[in-house]
Amino acid sequence: MKLLLTSGGVSNATLRNTLVDLLGKPIEACAALCIPTAAHALKRGPEIAWRQISGHDATPLCDLGWKSLGVLELTALPSLDPAQWEPHVRAADALLVGGGDPLYLCHWMRQSGLADLFPDLHDTVYVGVSAGSMVMAPRIGEDFARWRPPGGGDRTLGRVDFSIFPHVDHPMLPDNAMRFAEAWAADIGGPCYALDDQSAIAVS
């Protein structure tokens, strides 16, 4: 699986071009699935999920001009036969994973069985925004551990070997100032990156 791990979505021409390179064809020729699950753990979860799906969010993702766009709600998947939803995941060119709570998202990626499919999705491009990017790290750090999984802790999927601090110096997020990112990095104890909303990490 190829990764485009963003803080603020596909927010500029460079990131859009990087996405096209990862896809290997124009966005307009690609099928995508939006995963808004992380938003449900936030206070305004239903509204935020709708904004992500509808393209009314401040983080460009679903409104990039995809050939087709579907919604994959991870909390619904355990009640379904995998044969009903797995083919849609395998057929998608891109998985668009929105922001919210990274530990809640990690929990449902595991519970739903989606995380188990990741090693098989060799050509799929995973596009994360904020929590959707953080969840791929080994851990997120206690500063971001709000919703708690049954076993506690701040461990996430570990699909990459570094952690991500998103939204650095965002004017509406004073707790994401660089000085807080530096303190967070000291606690992580491993490789980490602080990203502003115009930045991303590509892993191919």
Side-chain angles (χ1 to χ4, degrees), residues 8-33:
V10 184
S11 54
N12 57 57
T14 298
L15 296 185
R16 186 181 180 98
N17 291 339
T18 301
L19 174 58
V20 171
D21 288 344
L22 292 172
L23 290 166
K25 53 186 174 181
I27 292 172
E28 294 79 5
C30 294
L33 289 177

Side-chain angles (χ1 to χ4, degrees), residues 85-159:
W85 60 268
E86 280 189 16
H88 297 287
V89 173
R90 295 183 184 277
D93 296 294
L95 300 178
L96 314 178
V97 187
D101 191 291
L103 290 178
Y104 185 77
L105 176 60
C106 182
H107 174 77
W108 283 107
M109 281 187 165
R110 289 178 171 144
Q111 289 293 111
S112 66
L114 178 64
D116 295 334
L117 295 184
F118 286 167
D120 296 333
L121 304 178
H122 304 294
D123 297 324
T124 306
V125 179
Y126 177 107
V127 187
V129 172
S130 192
S133 296
M134 297 169 71
V135 73
M136 301 305 263
R139 57 184 295 239
I140 60 168
E142 284 297 320
D143 290 348
F144 292 105
R146 297 180 179 94
W147 185 90
R148 293 285 185 169
D154 70 333
R155 307 300 298 185
T156 36
L157 295 178
R159 297 289 302 174

Side-chain angles (χ1 to χ4, degrees), residues 37-191:
T37 304
H40 297 308
L42 303 181
K43 288 182 179 179
R44 292 168 39 242
E47 176 188 346
I48 294 169
W50 175 82
R51 293 180 71 84
Q52 290 177 359
I53 296 165
S54 65
H56 288 78
D57 196 53
T59 54
L61 193 62
C62 291
D63 54 344
L64 299 176
W66 302 97
K67 178 182 179 181
S68 66
L69 181 67
V71 177
L72 190 71
E73 176 44 63
L74 303 185
T75 60
L77 301 189
S79 64
L80 300 173
D81 186 326
Q84 187 167 341
W85 60 268
E86 280 189 16
H88 297 287
V89 173
R90 295 183 184 277
D93 296 294
L95 300 178
L96 314 178
V97 187
D101 191 291
L103 290 178
Y104 185 77
L105 176 60
C106 182
H107 174 77
W108 283 107
M109 281 187 165
R110 289 178 171 144
Q111 289 293 111
S112 66
L114 178 64
D116 295 334
L117 295 184
F118 286 167
D120 296 333
L121 304 178
H122 304 294
D123 297 324
T124 306
V125 179
Y126 177 107
V127 187
V129 172
S130 192
S133 296
M134 297 169 71
V135 73
M136 301 305 263
R139 57 184 295 239
I140 60 168
E142 284 297 320
D143 290 348
F144 292 105
R146 297 180 179 94
W147 185 90
R148 293 285 185 169
D154 70 333
R155 307 300 298 185
T156 36
L157 295 178
R159 297 289 302 174
V160 297
D161 63 358
F162 54 84
S163 297
I164 293 173
F165 186 104
H167 311 302
V168 171
D169 289 333
H170 192 290
M172 297 183 66
L173 298 171
D175 290 343
N176 288 54
M178 180 58 80
R179 67 181 185 278
F180 296 116
E182 291 170 350
W184 165 87
D187 177 67
I188 286 291

